Amino acid sequence: MASLKDVALKAGVSPATVSRVINKSFLVEQQTKQKVIKAMEELGYSPNIMAQNLSKKENFLIGVIIQDICNPYFAGILKALENEIYDLGYNIIFLHSDSNLFKEKNCIKSIMKMRPDGIIITPIEWNSENILKLKNIDIPVVILTKIFEEFNGVAINHKEGGAQIARHFYDLGYDKIAYLGNNNDKFQGFQEELQFLNKKLYSYLEISLDKYDFKMAKFLVKEAIENYIKNNKELKFNAIFAENDILALELISVLKEFGKKVPEDIAVAGFDNSFFSEHFGITTVSQPINEISKLAVKILIDNIKNRNKVLERIELTPRLLPRNSTMILK
Amino acid sequence: MASLKDVALKAGVSPATVSRVINKSFLVEQQTKQKVIKAMEELGYSPNIMAQNLSKKENFLIGVIIQDICNPYFAGILKALENEIYDLGYNIIFLHSDSNLFKEKNCIKSIMKMRPDGIIITPIEWNSENILKLKNIDIPVVILTKIFEEFNGVAINHKEGGAQIARHFYDLGYDKIAYLGNNNDKFQGFQEELQFLNKKLYSYLEISLDKYDFKMAKFLVKEAIENYIKNNKELKFNAIFAENDILALELISVLKEFGKKVPEDIAVAGFDNSFFSEHFGITTVSQPINEISKLAVKILIDNIKNRNKVLERIELTPRLLPRNSTMILK
DNA sequence: GTGAAAGCGCTAACAA
DNA sequence: TTGTTAGCGCTTTCAC
């Protein structure tokens, strides 16, 4: 593969001039520029970005680590981030942690090797070792979809989202209210609001974190329901909040398998407003993906350009989208 | 950020020794190795991959360009590719062309700058300029989900997939058969099989390629249906093949809006077996994503290790999955 | 088993 | 406006 030196030789100029044509072409005379461009084309020259970055301070690279690219919600975030980032002239290094803490660790390691100007990450776990490690690096980091004490972050208020579902169930008169998922902020907000309304959580169907994976959702849901039935003989709750739309989707099919009608027998609500939830009429809480992404990039770039900025933690308000899975439409 | 030199200084050894610890640690004595490792940890050292790659010939980087990451089908491919590639000790540079030829061009440009050892791409268009440009590079390329004359490639036989849908409609007795999508191999196979069965395509609802984007699917489908109605007064076909599951999904809701029942009034079939199609009971054609990805990586690595190999073009057989959207289940 | 030195492909002073 | 030179952080001969 042709190098800058080859181009210089072919064009009969110095390497520096070729470099100028690439980076600050306004500094070079029209005529020489044309010679150089011609040589580049003839050689099919493409600058070696590794070498470029080695000799520059800023390399216009932003690392993005996404948790589960098969989840349309995260795919949407990545796409929104891309749009923002490219517009600003930066490039993205995307890495996929695949909801796996070990892989996430490797993602962070890999990204650090590339010396990005900044990092945006949707972390798998609250306060995992992986994230703590990010505290001690000298590269700006923005955490997405979760808020951490000592990091920049953009997220919706998950507690409020959970609370919205609780109020929704309450308003509709459901009295045996369950939760399916992990013990997280959504769950906390859900539970606190129930308490505030003088209700108690009727059942907690746990999905253990370390096994959680998009492809396994169906299996996990089934397992959770079967466990519940083993312990309680039958499905006794009449409303259930699943921590995300994928779980909700799977839950609805599993409930059907067990002869339950949704929402007549059991109401189901999800979270995220993934693209399919509208089609399925799943009641959910919408996250403003574009706004989140836009803010994340803004904060990151601010931090890159202007170090030692104070941390920014922005919480956006989620919005309940009531649909058929909790309400019988007339 | 600490450099190899800093580590060498701190450990009291030469840079070369530090490099050996990183790459060929068996060549260095236990004791020195420990000193070096300690220094690396204390400095939080992480090798600069840009510099590493600059001085190596092979850099264990594979570029992957995906067409539409928000489409679960492509997200699944990316994930499957990742698993294969990481297992072999390579890293992935993922780029997203977003079903946009201009962006695809930039993706290719960017990837070339990184000097990957190989490239895997799901191209947007048959024979676009972008793809033709890949012919003249000295890096192995594997094309996914489409088969091109002069490239390595892995795909299902799309014509056969289309034909399967045609036979399915025929077997079920549908007589007014339509197609929604682009003029591609699926469509060709679909149409040819209809002809073979002495049927004619009843209607062709085109979705123009350059506008096609996942997020716009709903809009495009609606537009196509409205156009159809404008020209034909009412929806006259009783079975329709949408070129992928996303279109099929959107189509089903749009048809419902127009008062049609699926499949009683109109049968709908999709393509890809995206994860949601099972839940919706959408008849579809399944693509063996894992097998495709595994083969693609295998071919690519073969080509990397062993240049001047003959081209490999593998076509896998798709499989029809009949579901409720075309058949009334008893 | 280890170090010195050259070089990967590029950019960025500095000089001319 | 252009060329010369040093150097980015690493690997890799070649000596020792």
Side-chain angles (χ1 to χ4, degrees):
Chain A
M1 173 130 273
S3 76
L4 179 143
K5 221 171 161 181
D6 299 328
V7 176
L9 224 63
K10 180 140 195 160
V13 298
S14 76
T17 299
V18 178
S19 173
R20 280 187 203 103
V21 172
I22 296 171
N23 302 291
K24 318 169 162 176
S25 69
F26 55 92
L27 285 179
V28 29
E29 209 187 0
Q30 271 301 326
Q31 205 181 344
T32 13
K33 184 152 80 181
Q34 291 312 323
K35 274 196 306 191
V36 172
I37 289 174
K38 187 156 163 273
M40 294 208 276
E41 277 169 0
E42 285 176 13
L43 291 170
Y45 173 71
S46 143
N48 181 327
I49 209 172
M50 306 283 177
Q52 283 185 314
N53 290 346
L54 202 56
S55 41
K56 291 187 186 175
K57 34 331 24 39
E58 206 182 1
N59 55 23
F60 291 94
L61 225 52
I62 289 179
V64 174
I65 301 177
I66 296 283
Q67 177 174 354
D68 182 6
I69 197 63
C70 292
N71 181 331
Y73 165 65
F74 288 111
I77 287 187
L78 175 60
K79 187 163 164 181
L81 286 174
E82 273 178 352
N83 290 335
E84 294 297 320
I85 290 176
Y86 286 137
D87 280 354
L88 295 169
Y90 284 78
N91 281 301
I92 287 188
I93 297 295
F94 160 77
L95 288 173
H96 182 204
S97 62
D98 203 12
S99 296
N100 174 322
L101 284 173
F102 177 74
K103 284 194 191 172
E104 186 181 59
K105 190 174 168 183
N106 284 333
C107 286
I108 294 174
K109 228 187 249 173
S110 298
I111 220 103
M112 292 306 295
K113 287 191 184 175
M114 311 212 67
R115 303 288 190 271
D117 300 320
I119 294 177
I120 295 178
I121 179 170
T122 66
I124 299 173
E125 266 188 19
W126 261 251
N127 286 319
S128 66
E129 254 185 55
N130 294 342
I131 301 304
L132 295 179
K133 217 165 273 169
L134 287 177
K135 214 178 288 178
N136 308 314
I137 64 174
D138 54 352
I139 298 172
V141 174
V142 175
I143 303 224
L144 234 54
T145 75
K146 297 187 174 75
I147 298 286
F148 288 79
E149 272 304 322
E150 300 173 52
F151 286 98
N152 294 300
V154 186
I156 58 154
N157 186 328
H158 284 88
K159 280 189 151 189
E160 169 58 20
Q164 287 179 357
I165 301 276
R167 282 197 293 276
H168 179 67
F169 282 161
Y170 179 82
D171 291 344
L172 292 170
Y174 294 106
D175 57 343
K176 294 173 184 161
I177 296 175
Y179 174 81
L180 172 76
N182 296 297
N183 183 352
N184 52 31
D185 275 2
K186 295 174 220 176
F187 180 50
Q188 293 300 328
F190 184 64
Q191 215 173 5
E192 284 169 18
E193 184 68 15
L194 285 178
Q195 264 162 18
F196 177 78
L197 296 166
N198 278 318
K199 288 266 167 202
K200 242 187 60 190
L201 184 75
Y202 191 77
S203 316
Y204 177 24
L205 287 73
E206 189 171 6
I207 299 253
S208 68
L209 187 79
D210 56 324
K211 286 196 291 179
Y212 186 27
D213 167 282
F214 174 75
K215 253 171 68 193
M216 295 180 67
K218 185 169 202 104
F219 169 76
L220 292 171
V221 170
K222 204 151 189 171
E223 191 182 51
I225 292 291
E226 278 166 357
N227 273 338
Y228 180 89
I229 291 179
K230 207 175 350 176
N231 296 328
N232 301 272
K233 297 219 168 141
E234 49 172 340
L235 294 167
K236 292 179 176 165
F237 48 86
N238 56 15
I240 181 163
F241 168 30
E243 86 165 41
N244 64 46
D245 287 342
I246 290 167
L247 288 184
L249 180 62
E250 301 295 352
L251 180 58
I252 290 173
S253 4
V254 171
L255 289 179
K256 275 186 191 153
E257 283 177 30
F258 282 90
K260 296 291 178 184
K261 277 186 193 154
V262 174
E264 291 85 347
D265 300 329
I266 299 179
V268 174
F271 210 97
D272 289 348
N273 191 27
S274 298
F275 78 95
F276 56 83
S277 57
E278 187 183 349
H279 296 274
F280 275 101
I282 297 175
T283 292
T284 190
V285 170
S286 108
Q287 303 215 26
I289 288 185
N290 288 320
E291 203 179 341
I292 290 178
S293 306
K294 200 167 286 187
L295 283 167
V297 173
K298 190 184 167 312
I299 294 174
L300 189 70
I301 304 291
D302 267 15
N303 270 261
I304 292 172
K305 297 289 182 205
N306 169 13
R307 295 308 180 93
N308 307 323
K309 273 207 56 167
V310 288
L311 292 182
E312 286 204 59
R313 293 194 301 282
I314 300 184
E315 264 192 334
L316 302 172
T317 307
R319 198 158 52 87
L320 181 77
L321 299 174
R323 298 204 182 107
N324 304 19
S325 70
T326 53
M327 313 193 301
I328 301 160
L329 294 191
K330 310 292 143 77
Chain B
M1 173 131 274
S3 77
L4 179 142
K5 220 169 159 184
D6 300 327
V7 176
L9 224 63
K10 179 141 197 162
V13 298
S14 76
T17 299
V18 178
S19 174
R20 281 189 200 102
V21 171
I22 296 170
N23 300 290
K24 317 172 163 171
S25 69
F26 56 92
L27 284 180
V28 30
E29 212 187 357
Q30 270 301 326
Q31 207 181 343
T32 12
K33 183 153 80 181
Q34 289 313 322
K35 275 196 303 189
V36 172
I37 290 175
K38 187 155 162 273
M40 293 207 277
E41 278 169 1
E42 285 175 12
L43 292 170
Y45 173 71
S46 145
N48 181 328
I49 210 173
M50 306 283 178
Q52 283 185 314
N53 290 347
L54 202 56
S55 41
K56 291 186 186 174
K57 29 340 14 37
E58 205 182 2
N59 56 21
F60 290 95
L61 225 51
I62 290 180
V64 175
I65 301 176
I66 296 283
Q67 179 175 352
D68 181 6
I69 197 62
C70 292
N71 181 331
Y73 166 64
F74 288 112
I77 287 187
L78 175 61
K79 187 163 164 180
L81 285 174
E82 274 178 351
N83 290 335
E84 294 298 319
I85 289 176
Y86 287 137
D87 281 354
L88 295 169
Y90 284 79
N91 281 301
I92 288 189
I93 297 294
F94 161 77
L95 289 172
H96 182 203
S97 62
D98 203 12
S99 295
N100 174 323
L101 283 173
F102 177 72
K103 285 194 191 173
E104 186 181 58
K105 190 174 169 183
N106 284 333
C107 286
I108 294 174
K109 229 188 248 173
S110 299
I111 218 102
M112 292 306 293
K113 287 191 185 175
M114 312 213 66
R115 303 287 190 270
D117 299 321
I119 293 176
I120 296 178
I121 179 170
T122 67
I124 299 173
E125 267 187 20
W126 260 252
N127 287 318
S128 66
E129 254 184 55
N130 295 341
I131 301 305
L132 294 180
K133 218 166 272 170
L134 287 176
K135 215 179 284 178
N136 307 315
I137 64 174
D138 54 351
I139 298 172
V141 174
V142 175
I143 302 223
L144 234 56
T145 73
K146 297 189 172 73
I147 299 286
F148 288 79
E149 271 306 319
E150 298 173 54
F151 286 99
N152 294 300
V154 186
I156 58 156
N157 186 327
H158 285 88
K159 280 188 151 191
E160 169 57 21
Q164 286 179 357
I165 300 276
R167 282 197 293 276
H168 179 66
F169 282 161
Y170 179 83
D171 291 344
L172 292 171
Y174 294 106
D175 56 346
K176 294 174 184 160
I177 296 175
Y179 173 82
L180 172 76
N182 296 299
N183 183 352
N184 53 30
D185 275 3
K186 297 173 219 175
F187 179 50
Q188 294 301 326
F190 183 63
Q191 215 173 5
E192 283 169 17
E193 184 69 14
L194 284 178
Q195 263 162 18
F196 177 78
L197 295 165
N198 278 318
K199 290 265 166 201
K200 242 185 61 189
L201 183 75
Y202 190 76
S203 316
Y204 175 26
L205 286 73
E206 189 171 6
I207 298 250
S208 69
L209 186 77
D210 56 324
K211 286 196 290 178
Y212 185 27
D213 166 280
F214 175 74
K215 253 171 67 192
M216 295 180 66
K218 185 168 203 105
F219 169 76
L220 292 171
V221 170
K222 203 152 190 171
E223 191 182 51
I225 291 291
E226 278 165 358
N227 273 337
Y228 180 89
I229 290 179
K230 207 178 344 180
N231 297 326
N232 301 273
K233 298 221 168 141
E234 48 172 339
L235 294 167
K236 292 178 175 166
F237 49 84
N238 56 15
I240 181 162
F241 167 31
E243 86 165 41
N244 65 46
D245 287 341
I246 290 169
L247 289 184
L249 181 62
E250 301 294 353
L251 180 57
I252 290 174
S253 6
V254 171
L255 289 179
K256 275 186 190 153
E257 283 177 31
F258 282 90
K260 294 292 180 185
K261 278 186 192 153
V262 174
E264 291 85 349
D265 298 330
I266 299 179
V268 174
F271 210 96
D272 288 348
N273 191 25
S274 299
F275 77 95
F276 56 82
S277 57
E278 187 182 350
H279 296 274
F280 275 99
I282 298 176
T283 293
T284 189
V285 170
S286 107
Q287 302 215 28
I289 287 186
N290 288 320
E291 203 179 341
I292 289 178
S293 306
K294 199 168 285 186
L295 283 168
V297 173
K298 191 184 167 310
I299 293 174
L300 189 69
I301 303 291
D302 267 16
N303 268 262
I304 291 173
K305 298 289 180 204
N306 170 14
R307 295 308 179 94
N308 307 323
K309 274 207 54 166
V310 287
L311 292 182
E312 286 203 60
R313 292 194 302 279
I314 301 183
E315 264 193 333
L316 302 172
T317 307
R319 198 159 52 87
L320 181 78
L321 299 175
R323 299 204 182 108
N324 304 19
S325 71
T326 52
M327 312 193 303
I328 302 160
L329 294 192
K330 309 292 142 77

